[in-house]
Amino acid sequence: MHGPGTPTRRTVLAAGTGLAASGLPGLPAGRRRTREPLGDAAAGPAALTPQQQAGQRVVFSYPGTTVPQSLLDQISSGQAAGVIINSGNVSSLSQITAAVQQMRQANASSPNPAPLLLMTDQEGGQVRRLPGAPTQSEKQIGQSANPASAAASAGTSAGNLLRSAGININLAPVLDVYRTAGDFDDQYGRSYSTDPSVVSSCGQAFISAQQATGVAATAKHFPGLGPATSSQNTDLRPVTLTTSLSQLRGTDEFPYVAALTAGVDLVMVSWAIYSHLDSAHPAGLSSTVVQGELRGRLGFSGVTITDAIAAGALSGLGTIGQNAVSAAAAGMDVILEASGSVANGQAVVSALATALQNGSLDATAFGSALTRVNALRNRLF
C-alpha cells in the first residue's frame, strides 16, 4: 500500500469510527474451532492448474469501494485464496458488507469453493479498518484494571463486528512487546505492554474470545517488532534488529507460546532482519525463522502469512513476484498482496505458478501449504 497518497498498512485509521453494527443480517454459525487432520479438509491440488494452485496461496487487494470485475474474475476462476479489506475499501458497514457478499458469490463458482480468506486489520484503537469495536487500543487494554478480561472483551467485539460484515479473519492481535514510549508499536498504542507476561495473557485472551465467534485470529509480527524504534517501519524501509537471541526468545517470542496454546489460526511473520537468527534474510524470507524457529522450536502447525509483500523492506531485494517466491520457499503459506492493485496480485500468482512449474518451488512443500490453507478455509464460515 505504498502508492501515491496511500498511507502504509499500519497507519491507516478506519473512517467513520462509531457506526453501529446493528441491523446487519447474521451469518450461519461457524464450525467448531478444532484442528482437523489437514488432508481431510483439503481439495486435491492435483485437480487444479499450476496457476490455480498458485492463486490459492495469494490474498488480493483492490482500490476504492467498488470491487473490480478483474478481482471477481480472479476469484471465480479459482486463482485467489482471499482478499484483504483496507480502510480505503470501506465507506460504511453496509457498503463493505455488500462488497464482501459480492466476493463470496464469485467464489461460489470457483473450482475450490471453500470459503475465501476475507481479512482486515481490526486491532483496536487507532488501527481499525471498519467503523466500530474494539475502541480501546492494545496499550489501553494492557493498562486497564483487568487486562486479560478487557482483551477478551475486545476479541469478542472484534469477532462479532467482522462476522456481521462477512469477514472471517482478523489480522490481530499484535503480540509485539514494546520497549520504550513512542517507539514503533507504542506510537499507535499497538502493544499491550513492555511486560511479556501481560502481552502473553492479553494475546491469549483476545485470540480465544475472538476465535469463539468463528473469526480466525492472526498473531503478529513474529518473532516480534517490539524492539523497533519509531523510524524502523518495515512498510517503508529495510529494518535490522540486533536483539540478542536470549531476549528474542525470552521476551519477544514468549507471547507466542500462549497464542499457540489458544489455537491461533494464523501467524504473520515480520519483514525485519533479526541478526541473531538470520543476518542475511528478512524473517519472512528465512527458513531459519519460519521453519526452524516458528514451526520447529515453537511447534506451530497452522497457517503462516506474510506481511505486505510490496513492503519497502523488500523493495531492494527483487520484484514482488520474486520476493513472493522467496517467501514461499522459506515456508510462508499465504502471500499477502496489500498494495490495492489487482494486477500486483496477479503478478504474484504468475511468479508462484512459474516457480512451481520449473521446479524452483518444491511441489510437495507447495502441496503441503495448500493443504494447510484449505484446512483453514474449510473451518471458516
Side-chain angles (χ1 to χ4, degrees):
M1 294 176 59
H2 304 293
T6 306
T8 63
R9 239 174 58 73
R10 297 205 176 93
T11 57
V12 180
L13 313 183
T17 299
L19 292 183
S22 58
L24 289 169
L27 289 161
R31 300 187 191 181
R32 215 27 249 156
R33 311 198 54 79
T34 53
R35 282 222 198 283
E36 303 146 7
L38 294 178
D40 294 351
L48 302 175
T49 67
Q51 196 81 5
Q52 289 169 329
Q53 291 182 59
Q56 297 290 307
R57 295 181 65 176
V58 180
V59 168
F60 279 72
S61 57
Y62 64 96
T65 54
T66 300
V67 185
Q69 188 61 47
S70 59
L71 178 54
L72 296 174
D73 291 344
Q74 193 79 23
I75 293 169
S76 62
S77 65
Q79 296 183 52
V83 179
I84 183 171
I85 305 301
N86 292 317
S87 57
N89 303 132
V90 182
S91 62
S92 69
L93 218 43
S94 58
Q95 169 269 328
I96 194 58
T97 303
V100 165
Q101 184 57 29
Q102 256 192 304
M103 292 184 268
R104 286 180 171 275
Q105 287 171 346
N107 191 56
S109 58
S110 165
N112 180 11
L116 286 170
L117 304 176
L118 295 162
M119 60 187 65
T120 196
D121 297 89
Q122 197 75 5
E123 297 174 13
Q126 293 186 68
V127 185
R128 287 176 288 161
R129 306 306 187 226
L130 272 64
T135 55
Q136 281 192 310
S137 69
E138 288 197 3
K139 184 177 185 179
Q140 289 171 323
I141 287 170
Q143 293 177 335
S144 66
N146 189 334
S149 176
S153 295
T156 299
S157 62
N160 286 337
L161 174 69
L162 297 187
R163 188 182 184 103
S164 74
I167 295 171
N168 54 21
I169 295 177
N170 191 3
L171 297 175
V174 173
L175 297 187
D176 299 341
V177 182
Y178 86 96
R179 299 302 202 271
T180 59
D183 66 13
F184 171 73
D185 282 304
D186 186 58
Q187 63 186 325
Y188 297 107
R190 299 179 71 216
S191 171
Y192 289 115
S193 179
T194 57
D195 182 344
S197 296
V198 174
V199 176
S200 181
S201 61
C202 287
Q204 184 174 32
F206 185 100
I207 290 162
S208 297
Q210 185 190 271
Q211 291 195 164
T213 71
V215 175
T218 308
K220 64 185 186 184
H221 312 82
F222 187 84
L225 285 174
T229 67
S230 59
S231 63
Q232 287 183 303
N233 184 344
T234 57
D235 280 347
L236 304 179
R237 60 186 63 89
V239 171
T240 296
L241 298 176
T242 57
T243 314
S244 70
L245 191 59
S246 61
Q247 191 168 49
L248 273 173
R249 288 178 170 169
T251 298
D252 297 293
E253 293 183 20
F254 182 79
Y256 287 86
V257 176
L260 268 60
T261 299
V264 70
D265 279 316
L266 302 100
V267 171
M268 178 181 284
V269 181
S270 156
W271 285 141
I273 292 172
Y274 297 81
S275 58
H276 288 281
L277 281 173
D278 181 346
S279 61
H281 304 95
L285 304 184
S286 168
S287 60
T288 300
V289 175
V290 181
Q291 305 284 22
E293 202 73 3
L294 178 57
R295 293 215 187 277
R297 196 178 82 82
L298 294 183
F300 181 60
S301 61
V303 171
T304 52
I305 182 169
T306 70
D307 206 337
I309 198 67
L314 307 185
S315 60
L317 302 179
T319 66
I320 55 173
Q322 289 167 336
N323 291 333
V325 171
S326 296
M332 300 305 300
D333 295 327
V334 174
I335 311 299
L336 175 60
E337 207 308 295
S339 69
S341 164
V342 176
N344 280 354
Q346 290 167 332
V348 169
V349 172
S350 294
L352 291 175
T354 298
L356 176 61
Q357 287 175 290
N358 69 21
S360 299
L361 288 175
D362 178 74
T364 301
F366 205 104
S368 296
L370 286 177
T371 296
R372 285 188 291 271
V373 173
N374 275 302
L376 172 61
R377 289 175 63 178
N378 278 284
R379 287 203 308 277
L380 297 174
F381 60 86

